[in-house]
Amino acid sequence: MYPKNTWYVACTPDEIDGKPLGRTICGEKIVFYRGPDNKVAAVEDFCPHRGAPLSLGFLRDGALVCGYHGLEMGCDGKVISMPGQRVRGFPCIRSYAVEERYGFIWIWPGEAAEADPALIHHLEWADHPEWAYGGGLYHINCEYRLMIDNLMDLTHETYVHASSIGQKEIDEAPVTTKIDGEVVVTSRFMEAIIAPPFWRAALRSNHLPDDVPVDRWQICRFTPPSHVMIEVGVAIAGKGGYDADPQYKASSIVVDFITPETETSHWYFWGMARHFQADDEELTATIREGQGKIFSEDRSMLEMQQANISQYPERKLLMLNIDSGGVQSRRLLEKLITQEMQKVV
C-alpha cells in the first residue's frame, strides 16, 4: 500500500526530451510529455480508441499522437482529433497534476483537485550556487518501504558497502531516533576515526589530508511519502565535527526519492548534493559513478530480500533498536494511508 494524495518524483526532464515517457507509478500507468508551451503533462497511458499505450506514440505541435491509429490527445485527457474520423464524443481519459521543480518532474497520483504545489518537498540545495548535484535512476524489484528501511538504518554499510563507505565504527556508534513533526530523524556520530575509501577521496578532493583522524556523521531524515535526505560528511578531528568550519570538512546530502511502481517494485532516484568544490564538474561525475556502484549493491541485496519475503510471506521480520527509524517511518505512512481510506469511505 502507498499513499496517493501526495507528491512523488516521476522522472527527470531529460527523460521526456522530445518524446513521451510511459511509467507506472503507484499502480497507475501514466504517460509523461511536454505539451503546448513546453509545459509538462501527464495522462493515462491508454488510448480511448483501442487501448494502445499512448507512450508508444509521438508528439506533434504539443499534442500526444497515438502510434496505433493517429488519435491526438490533449493535456486535459480530451481527444482532439483523428484522421478521417469524428472523435469529439470519445470519453476523456484521466489527467494528472504534475509540476516541474528542482530539476525533477513531480506527480500527484491521487485526486488532482487536492494537489497543492506548495506541498512539494523543499530542496534547499537545488538552486544554491554553493552546491553541486549529480545523480541517477534505478528500477528496483522490491517494495518501496524496504528501501526506506535500508536508508533509515545505515548499519548495513559495514557489510554491503565494505569497500567504499563501510567501516566497523558504524556498528559501534550508538544510533538515536526522534520524530520532528512528520519527519523521522535517525543520527549517528563517530569521533576520531580513519575515514573509509569514499570519504578519503572526498577529503583529497577538498584539498584536505586523508590520513588523519576525522569525525564522521550520518543524519537520515524521512519525509512522507518516501523521501529520505541523509546529511553525511567527515571533518578533521577536533575541528567541531558536524559544526566544523567548511575549510576543515567534506559534507554532502545523499538524496533519495523512492517512488512506488507496484506492490513489489519502485523507481529509485538517487544522487548527492555536495557542499564543497561545487564548480568541479569532473568531481561531480566521479562521485556520481562511485555512488552509482554503491547503490547497485543496495539494489542487489534488496531484490534478493524481496524474493525471500515473497516466498515466505508468513514469516515475521524481527525488529531491533537499529530498525527504529524504519519502524517510525512506516507508522507515518500507515497514518497517511488510513486517512486516505477514511476519506474514500
Side-chain angles (χ1 to χ4, degrees):
M1 294 291 290
Y2 24 69
K4 288 190 173 183
N5 286 325
T6 187
W7 291 104
Y8 292 96
V9 171
C11 61
T12 51
D14 61 292
E15 293 186 275
I16 56 170
D17 186 11
K19 62 184 184 304
L21 169 72
R23 181 155 288 166
T24 298
I25 293 177
C26 293
E28 307 274 344
K29 291 186 178 296
I30 304 170
V31 56
F32 299 86
Y33 64 100
R34 291 195 182 276
D37 301 320
N38 213 36
K39 185 174 175 58
V40 178
V43 298
E44 280 185 271
D45 197 4
F46 187 96
C47 179
H49 172 223
R50 300 296 295 167
L54 291 168
S55 57
L56 297 181
F58 59 93
L59 303 178
R60 183 169 59 207
D61 299 326
L64 179 60
V65 182
C66 179
Y68 196 11
H69 296 95
L71 180 143
E72 291 191 19
M73 293 298 307
C75 299
D76 56 1
K78 295 180 180 179
V79 175
I80 297 174
S81 65
M82 187 173 174
Q85 306 295 320
R86 294 183 178 183
V87 293
R88 290 289 183 173
F90 269 33
C92 294
I93 60 174
R94 185 179 177 186
S95 62
Y96 296 83
V98 286
E99 290 286 329
E100 184 169 6
R101 187 177 299 181
Y102 304 131
F104 298 99
I105 309 299
W106 302 73
I107 185 164
W108 183 283
E111 297 300 323
E114 297 186 27
D116 181 359
L119 298 177
I120 292 176
H121 190 100
H122 176 60
L123 305 179
E124 68 277 6
W125 45 264
D127 298 315
H128 201 296
E130 294 182 2
W131 288 78
Y133 177 81
L137 168 64
Y138 282 152
H139 177 263
I140 302 184
N141 287 309
C142 82
E143 182 197 354
Y144 78 109
R145 292 182 302 176
L146 291 180
M147 176 59 86
I148 295 172
D149 294 343
N150 174 73
L151 294 168
M152 292 301 288
D153 171 26
L154 299 183
T155 307
H156 74 276
E157 288 186 358
T158 303
Y159 309 97
V160 180
H161 312 304
S163 64
S164 56
I165 55 177
Q167 58 186 138
K168 62 181 180 61
E169 287 85 357
I170 296 175
D171 285 14
E172 299 166 354
V175 60
T176 60
T177 300
K178 66 177 183 179
I179 300 177
D180 184 6
E182 289 199 345
V183 179
V184 179
V185 184
T186 63
S187 305
R188 180 183 271 118
F189 297 90
M190 293 155 272
E191 296 183 351
I193 63 173
I194 296 300
F198 180 90
W199 285 110
R200 288 204 297 271
L203 287 166
R204 292 193 299 271
S205 298
N206 204 25
H207 310 300
L208 291 167
D210 68 350
D211 58 351
V212 299
V214 298
D215 297 330
R216 183 181 180 186
W217 58 89
Q218 300 171 324
I219 306 172
C220 311
R221 291 184 172 88
F222 167 80
T223 303
S226 52
H227 312 326
V228 180
M229 303 291 127
I230 309 177
E231 286 189 80
V232 292
V234 292
I236 303 301
K239 298 297 184 179
Y242 175 79
D243 296 313
D245 188 278
Q247 66 177 312
Y248 299 117
K249 66 182 179 182
S251 61
S252 305
I253 298 176
V254 177
V255 177
D256 307 282
F257 293 117
I258 307 144
T259 301
E261 180 189 39
T262 69
E263 294 290 347
T264 56
S265 62
H266 68 269
W267 302 100
Y268 179 37
F269 297 85
W270 54 266
M272 178 172 281
R274 184 179 77 255
H275 199 200
F276 62 93
Q277 304 299 320
D279 297 328
D280 191 335
E281 295 183 4
E282 183 176 349
L283 176 58
T284 299
T286 299
I287 290 177
R288 181 192 292 115
E289 180 181 1
Q291 195 182 23
K293 291 178 181 178
I294 290 170
F295 287 139
S296 70
E297 295 169 341
D298 283 314
R299 177 171 60 179
S300 296
M301 178 62 74
L302 290 167
E303 290 186 339
M304 288 185 286
Q305 179 189 14
Q306 180 65 63
N308 256 1
I309 291 172
S310 296
Q311 185 172 357
Y312 303 102
E314 74 285 354
R315 291 194 174 184
K316 184 177 177 60
L317 302 184
L318 303 179
M319 298 298 174
L320 304 172
N321 65 316
I322 58 174
D323 301 307
S324 59
V327 170
Q328 295 300 331
S329 299
R330 286 184 180 232
R331 286 178 180 171
L332 279 181
L333 283 170
E334 289 169 2
K335 176 183 174 183
L336 287 177
I337 293 168
T338 299
Q339 290 173 345
E340 282 192 13
M341 293 177 65
Q342 290 174 341
K343 283 185 179 180
V344 172
V345 173

